[in-house]
Amino acid sequence: MRTNPNPNQNLNPTPNPLAVVRNLGILAHVDAGKTTVTERILYTTGTTYKRGEVHDGTTVTDFDPQERDRGITIFAAAVSCAWDGHRINLIDTPGHVDFADEVERALRVLDGAVAVFDAVAGVEPQSESVWRQADRHGVPRIAFVNKLDRAGADLDTAVESIRERLHPAPLVVQLPIGAEDGFRGVVDLVRMRALVWADGADTAVEQAVPEELREEAARRRRLLEEAVAELHAGALEEFCARSTLLPTTLRLALRELTRSGDGVVVLCGSAYRNRGIEPLLDAVVAYLPSPLDVPAVRGLHDGADEERPADPQAPLAALAFKVSATPTGRFTYLRVYSGTIEKGDTVLDAGAGRTERIGRILRIQADRHAQVDRAVAGDIVAVVGLKSARAGSTLCAPAAPLVLEPPGVADPVVSVAVEARRSTETDRLASALARLAEEDPSLVVRTDAETGQTVLSGMGELHLEVAVEKIRRDTGLEVNVGRPRVSYRETVGRGVSGFVFRHVKQDGGAGQFAHVVLDVEALDTESGFEFRSAVVGGSVPQEYVRAVEAGCRDALAEGPLDGHPVTGLRVTLTDGATHVKDSSDTAFRTAGRLGLRDALRACAMLLLEPVVEVTVTVPEDAVGAVLGDLAARRGRVSGSVTRAGAAVVTATVPLAELFGYATRLRSRTQGRGTFTARPTGYAPAPVKTPVTPVTSPVTSPVTSPVTTPVR
């Protein structure tokens, strides 16, 4: 482990202990080397004393048996390490699209991130998706171009893909020394020094820039200075005065551009060979923010916005972002934003309005943990003893309640019916499913009203497969699983204007009267639902307008085609009438619900099905067979490029057509083809698409017999 002080740190020395904390995540497309980067960070910092390997199943963060069997990250894992006097709390996130909700919950509580890219493939579909997720949360990032030792690796091509597909300003601060299998080090363009790793060495040797690279290094340093000067006012002033930038000025500008999101620092290396990890850690310390550098957390108190600073002396405010049931207890993972939490404290679950007691506080190291007495603002820890807190719950001081915004949860798109093979184990299965849904909010469990089947809904085929396998391994239950079904939607193809609906009810007591006139028109399906009022003259009072809107939203739960949720429409209330005695909120809500339901029957409706963007990587001699198969699956090819001897085909395919595609692709390419998919929304489905009636606003039920056992 390197012990020399980091030349990039302590630019602004401060005694505040929070200044030396970094909360960051590792983000990447599946197989970009994200978990290997995490393992090398732990090894380089001395946290572990042996290099963990994904292919050997010896990694620290991929500790779940399914992760080791499948060779992918499924669950976000938290670890801590120390580097040059800084404490780094790191979360290794999944790279597969089916587990994007794990990434979403992690990004909600992180201050920064390292985005890992494959030096051969550049920006891949899921790396683009997680980048957009980080954009939504305003998380500063640095980029690490990995696998420079692979055949076909090219830093410049990868950087250009970052520029074109992600649209940040990439600020490349390193120049590789050697190419492909000969990659052995980097030139630090900020300090103009070379870092070289000898074969088998764990640490870099710092030396002068090699003679053959000095001209190229000087050219790239100039390009870096010009790019920084374009984005940073202080750097521009010095650049104009001196025609160059001092290293101190350059580091300060890079830090501010990273934290503002105006630029992204790009480093490179080979995590598998442990080359480039030390300068990556230096960059994490130098450029990514501490809890003091991010805006104070904001929440709601009595309906008003309130801020809580990152101060251990402030009232407690912490967000639960993950719940995990283990053999040693129920762990609730927290990010402490303000205040201090100690063992034995009583805290308030602000959303549920109940108090709970903290039994233990744990510093988590993947599947291991160490007990601590307290956690302060800026910490990421797990606590034991909370009985009802869920992912998204706010824990705060009882005397100073505050509700923080919870992480978003995506709607599930795939459903399967599940049942215990033995009828005597039905209750055990119900308990196991409830525990799964508690740990993973993107899993939804419900009972179909028509068939009586238990339906499990999730983000994809693999997501549900992992969930069922987890039940089998954790409980020993034998579970039967039905054929997967996707969640359809309905939308308006052609609307109606001036649709009149009168709700009149008289049953001897106070009656109900509501008269509404509605216009219904189509919207972009991404827009969901809009409600407008164009009532003039007060024919419908404002309080009744709100009731009509609520009733219309109630009607969206079931569409007229097959009972699927309705989206992509605008409803305008144009006129109406009231009765002096019999009009009420209830009457107008009923009129809105029944009126829109009848209006939709008068519209020309379209059935929508979920579609995904598929990226298929195959040998060039298999392209024809793959294109034919995609066409048979109603796929629309949008692009095809060649990378390092392999063809990469991009297409948009209905999700329902992708079930079993992995097996089909392997058979057509002799096991050499791979594919990834990411959701892109909904598209009109052909009339021949089989549709199952649905009674839930979340997903369509599965009515096919449950016949496939999970072994």
Side-chain angles (χ1 to χ4, degrees):
M1 188 180 96
R2 193 176 67 113
T3 57
N4 293 332
N6 176 6
N8 290 336
Q9 76 178 61
N10 294 329
L11 297 178
N12 287 318
T14 174
N16 194 319
L18 297 184
V20 296
V21 174
R22 299 291 184 272
N23 293 317
L24 67 128
I26 307 293
L27 312 175
H29 182 89
V30 64
D31 272 346
K34 167 176 43 60
T35 298
T36 303
V37 169
T38 304
E39 291 297 318
R40 296 304 182 264
I41 287 176
L42 296 177
Y43 179 76
T44 302
T45 58
T47 307
T48 59
Y49 298 96
K50 182 180 179 181
R51 301 182 188 182
E53 304 294 353
V54 173
H55 55 271
D56 291 336
T58 57
T59 56
V60 172
T61 52
D62 286 355
F63 59 86
D64 187 270
Q66 288 203 73
E67 294 178 310
R68 294 185 172 179
D69 290 348
R70 299 173 187 272
I72 62 172
T73 301
I74 296 173
F75 309 104
V79 292
S80 295
C81 57
W83 181 252
D84 282 346
H86 290 71
R87 187 175 81 248
I88 298 175
N89 298 320
L90 188 152
I91 297 180
D92 180 21
T93 64
H96 195 285
V97 64
D98 281 16
F99 309 104
D101 200 63
E102 286 274 326
V103 183
E104 184 74 15
R105 293 197 296 274
L107 284 171
R108 174 63 180 82
V109 299
L110 294 175
D111 300 326
V114 175
V116 181
F117 301 95
D118 188 314
V120 178
V123 175
E124 298 174 271
Q126 187 59 13
S127 52
E128 185 174 355
S129 296
V130 296
W131 189 276
R132 302 302 178 207
Q133 285 179 280
D135 279 342
R136 291 198 302 272
H137 290 279
V139 176
R141 279 141 283 168
I142 58 177
F144 181 72
V145 179
N146 190 28
K147 302 187 179 182
L148 275 182
D149 57 330
R150 286 183 59 195
D154 187 283
L155 175 62
D156 292 337
T157 301
V159 170
E160 190 57 32
S161 71
I162 293 173
R163 188 191 312 275
E164 291 179 355
R165 297 192 64 175
L166 305 182
H167 309 297
L171 305 171
V172 184
V173 298
Q174 291 178 342
L175 168 66
I177 300 175
E180 299 183 351
D181 194 54
F183 170 72
R184 66 183 190 278
V186 297
V187 175
D188 183 346
L189 299 177
V190 177
R191 297 188 298 132
M192 293 305 287
R193 297 288 292 172
L195 295 172
V196 179
W197 288 266
D199 287 341
D202 290 331
T203 59
V205 176
E206 185 175 310
Q207 58 190 42
V209 179
E211 181 68 31
E212 65 274 15
L213 290 177
R214 287 182 182 175
E215 183 177 342
E216 178 65 10
R219 184 183 73 84
R220 291 186 179 241
R221 166 62 183 256
R222 183 71 176 180
L223 291 175
L224 175 62
E225 291 179 345
E226 291 174 353
V228 169
E230 287 181 2
L231 299 169
H232 191 277
L236 177 61
E237 184 177 344
E238 181 174 308
F239 187 77
C240 292
R242 301 170 57 94
S243 297
T244 188
L245 293 178
L246 294 173
T248 303
T249 304
L250 183 56
R251 288 196 296 269
L252 179 62
L254 288 171
R255 181 175 66 179
E256 293 180 357
L257 290 173
T258 298
R259 297 178 183 183
S260 67
D262 294 325
V264 56
V265 171
V266 180
L267 303 98
C268 60
S270 168
Y272 180 70
R273 295 192 179 186
N274 206 30
R275 295 174 181 176
I277 300 301
E278 293 159 286
L280 174 62
L281 285 165
D282 290 343
V284 165
V285 168
Y287 305 129
L288 291 181
S290 73
L292 296 176
D293 299 316
V294 298
V297 68
R298 301 180 65 88
L300 291 177
H301 178 212
D302 290 337
D305 279 349
E306 183 176 317
E307 288 188 351
R308 291 280 171 87
D311 181 358
Q313 305 304 318
L316 173 67
L319 182 69
F321 65 94
K322 181 180 175 69
V323 174
S324 176
T326 71
T328 57
R330 183 179 185 270
F331 289 2
T332 304
Y333 290 76
L334 304 178
R335 162 67 191 268
V336 184
Y337 284 99
S338 69
T340 300
I341 187 170
E342 296 185 353
K343 176 182 176 181
D345 280 355
T346 297
V347 298
L348 173 68
D349 182 342
R354 63 170 64 92
T355 58
E356 300 211 53
R357 184 177 179 275
I358 303 296
R360 289 182 292 156
I361 303 175
L362 307 174
R363 184 82 62 192
I364 297 297
Q365 201 74 359
D367 59 338
R368 298 183 295 275
H369 55 267
Q371 189 164 328
V372 296
D373 292 331
R374 64 204 300 264
V376 300
D379 275 340
I380 293 178
V381 295
V383 297
V384 180
L386 304 184
K387 297 179 179 179
S388 59
R390 301 290 186 266
S393 296
T394 301
L395 302 181
C396 55
L402 187 74
V403 178
L404 303 179
E405 180 183 359
V409 179
D411 291 333
V413 295
V414 178
S415 301
V416 293
V418 294
E419 68 179 17
R421 185 174 298 181
R422 300 182 181 88
S423 58
T424 56
E425 295 178 336
T426 300
D427 290 343
R428 287 182 60 202
L429 176 61
S431 298
L433 288 170
R435 186 164 57 251
L436 268 183
E438 179 183 333
E439 295 183 10
D440 185 353
S442 61
L443 287 172
V444 176
V445 181
R446 62 180 179 83
T447 301
D448 178 63
E450 294 185 0
T451 66
Q453 291 177 314
T454 299
V455 179
L456 178 65
S457 305
M459 303 306 298
E461 198 173 4
L462 179 61
H463 189 204
L464 297 179
E465 184 181 327
V466 166
V468 173
E469 179 66 11
K470 183 174 174 62
I471 291 176
R472 186 187 69 80
R473 294 194 182 200
D474 291 351
T475 66
L477 286 171
E478 295 182 358
V479 182
N480 293 336
V481 182
R483 184 177 180 274
R485 295 292 182 94
V486 301
S487 299
Y488 293 93
R489 297 288 186 270
E490 298 178 22
T491 192
V492 174
R494 185 183 66 252
V496 296
S497 298
F499 188 88
V500 179
F501 184 85
R502 288 169 58 90
H503 172 62
V504 181
K505 182 178 180 181
Q506 193 71 42
D507 54 6
Q512 293 186 21
F513 177 88
H515 176 93
V516 295
V517 181
L518 304 175
D519 289 350
V520 181
E521 57 186 317
L523 276 180
D524 183 346
T525 57
E526 297 298 323
S527 302
F529 171 72
E530 287 185 13
F531 181 87
R532 295 179 179 178
S533 173
V535 174
V536 295
S539 57
V540 180
Q542 186 60 39
E543 61 268 24
Y544 294 161
V545 170
R546 290 192 292 268
V548 174
E549 179 180 358
C552 289
R553 292 187 182 276
D554 294 340
L556 300 179
E558 297 181 9
L561 291 180
D562 288 284
H564 301 292
V566 182
T567 187
L569 73 159
R570 178 190 292 124
V571 176
T572 305
L573 177 64
T574 60
D575 200 1
T578 62
H579 186 275
V580 176
K581 293 183 178 180
D582 294 341
S583 291
S584 64
D585 283 352
T586 300
F588 273 90
R589 181 163 185 162
T590 302
R593 176 171 57 84
L594 300 179
L596 180 56
R597 188 184 66 181
D598 289 353
L600 291 176
R601 292 195 180 100
C603 295
M605 300 294 292
L606 298 175
L607 185 67
L608 301 177
E609 62 180 346
V611 295
V612 296
E613 181 187 76
V614 178
T615 301
V616 188
T617 303
V618 296
E620 292 187 80
D621 58 3
V623 171
V626 169
L627 291 177
D629 190 38
L630 288 174
R633 295 173 184 271
R634 298 189 284 126
R636 298 192 305 274
V637 176
S638 56
S640 178
V641 297
T642 301
R643 295 176 184 165
V648 181
V649 178
T650 304
T652 301
V653 185
L655 179 61
E657 301 288 348
L658 281 184
F659 297 136
Y661 182 62
T663 302
R664 182 70 170 175
L665 180 63
R666 284 195 294 267
S667 67
R668 286 183 173 270
T669 61
Q670 291 77 50
R672 296 178 295 168
T674 61
F675 83 99
T676 60
R678 65 185 182 97
T680 57
Y682 284 80
V687 175
K688 64 179 181 180
T689 300
V691 180
T692 303
V694 58
T695 57
S696 167
V698 180
T699 54
S700 56
V702 181
T703 57
S704 59
V706 180
T707 58
T708 307
V710 173
R711 296 184 176 88

